[in-house]
Amino acid sequence: MIEVTDGGRWTTIQDRGRPGLERFGIPPGGAADWFAARVANELVGNQPDAALLECTATGATLRFDDEAIVAVTGGQAASIADWEPFRVARGSSLVVGAIAPGLRMYIAIRGGIDVSLVLGSRSYCQRGAFGGGWGRPVARGDRLPIGQLVGHEPASKPWPPSHRLPLRGPWEVRVIAGPQTDAFASDALERLTATACRVTPEIDRMGLRLETPGVRLRSEEILTVPMTAGAIQVTPSGGLIVLHVDHQTTGGYPVIATVINADLPLLAQARPGDTVRFRAVDTEEAARALRRMSGWLELDL
């Protein structure tokens, strides 16, 4: 068991989520920075779908009943060695503190966090307030059970910096046009990709709201349609909402473009005030980017 002595600002249990249930109104969920979470599990020798902790802005403080092998990835904290496995002694505590650069940090423990499965996943769902052990973020006094199933031996060296994603903006985020390009003027996507968008404080696992100073992308109304993570909705006022892993499954704002899967982790680490620039790509480039990151996960450490 691991005791939570401080839950931090917003710490939740996450895994790969619940893909394929959107038709029932359930978002896919899972780790917002899927790449950092996969690496954390890889470093401690867990299976890719093992549950771990996702800390936002300020990390948790954990007290270990027994010795454990831990890895921390994603956003950085000054007091912790990151992107490499390390041992935590029995009875000692792991204190994360403030997270910067980056916004979200992942803490993987060898064996994984063994809370109950809900609809095939241990992830906490923000929209539905279920999963994650208690249907809420972890809090002081919670005790996290650690499982026994692991995939392989822990890594023997740190994850190389050359195979990590940046933690500081400004961010270049690749998008694929549409699907509702017909709802906009013919030059709308070109104007969007030429605009520096500012990340507002309105950020959570459901999405990010962006400001586009000096640019208003007028659009026509559309019928409510299915939504996906990465969809860039344009509101009637011209603002942008980029949907993330706990997004609503349908929406009535037109989508001018969709962030590719390989770049969703960048938005998971973006902080208020950061600058985002979008770059339009085709599906072939999107597939190449995802294959490249998948290849990184096959490193033998």
Side-chain angles (χ1 to χ4, degrees):
M1 286 282 187
I2 296 174
E3 181 182 357
V4 179
T5 57
D6 185 340
R9 182 170 296 181
W10 185 269
T11 299
T12 61
I13 296 172
Q14 299 295 336
D15 56 20
R16 279 184 163 179
R18 302 175 178 85
L21 298 181
E22 289 93 335
R23 65 187 183 278
F24 302 117
I26 298 170
D33 183 341
W34 64 263
F35 180 74
R38 281 287 305 276
V39 172
N41 274 326
E42 183 69 21
L43 287 170
V44 298
N46 283 344
Q47 296 284 356
D49 60 349
L52 74 177
L53 292 175
E54 177 183 275
C55 305
T56 303
T58 302
T61 299
L62 310 173
R63 185 183 182 280
F64 289 72
D65 288 353
D66 295 292
E67 182 182 90
I69 299 176
V70 178
V72 174
T73 62
Q76 295 178 344
S79 60
I80 296 179
D82 56 356
W83 296 85
E84 62 180 305
F86 58 92
R87 291 184 181 274
V88 177
R90 178 180 182 178
S92 62
S93 293
L94 178 69
V95 182
V96 174
I99 299 170
L103 181 66
R104 292 183 171 95
M105 169 186 285
Y106 295 86
I107 304 174
I109 299 100
R110 183 168 172 81
I113 300 175
D114 193 21
V115 294
S116 299
L117 291 166
V118 178
L119 298 174
S121 171
R122 294 178 171 84
S123 285
Y124 168 66
C125 175
Q126 181 178 340
R127 284 191 64 81
F130 63 82
W134 298 272
R136 56 166 171 75
V138 301
R140 181 178 181 179
D142 290 342
R143 292 182 61 79
L144 310 178
I146 302 304
Q148 299 296 324
L149 296 178
V150 295
H152 55 79
E153 289 300 310
S156 59
K157 51 188 174 181
W159 196 262
S162 60
H163 289 60
R164 306 177 194 176
L165 299 179
L167 290 172
R168 290 185 174 90
W171 310 95
E172 182 186 79
V173 174
R174 290 164 290 186
V175 300
I176 295 173
Q180 282 95 41
T181 51
D182 291 345
F184 300 90
S186 59
D187 65 342
L189 182 60
E190 181 180 350
R191 288 192 290 129
L192 174 63
T193 55
T195 302
C197 305
R198 189 180 69 84
V199 180
T200 74
E202 296 181 66
I203 297 175
D204 60 17
R205 288 176 44 82
M206 293 161 58
L208 305 83
R209 189 177 291 270
L210 307 180
E211 291 181 348
T212 53
V215 176
R216 183 175 180 185
L217 303 171
R218 296 182 181 274
S219 64
E220 300 175 4
E221 292 184 359
I222 63 168
L223 296 175
T224 296
V225 294
M227 289 291 156
T228 187
I232 304 174
Q233 296 181 308
V234 181
T235 68
S237 64
L240 303 182
I241 300 173
V242 187
L243 302 185
H244 221 286
V245 289
D246 275 347
H247 62 85
Q248 69 269 26
T249 55
T250 62
Y253 295 147
V255 175
I256 190 171
T258 303
V259 176
I260 69 173
N261 287 340
D263 285 356
L264 282 174
L266 301 180
L267 293 180
Q269 299 296 349
R271 301 179 67 92
D274 281 354
T275 298
V276 174
R277 285 188 176 273
F278 296 111
R279 178 166 68 87
V281 299
D282 57 21
T283 55
E284 291 184 0
E285 181 170 342
R288 285 196 301 271
L290 192 58
R291 285 196 299 269
R292 177 171 177 257
M293 292 173 68
S294 297
W296 288 357
L297 293 168
E298 297 176 1
L299 285 175
D300 185 7
L301 299 177

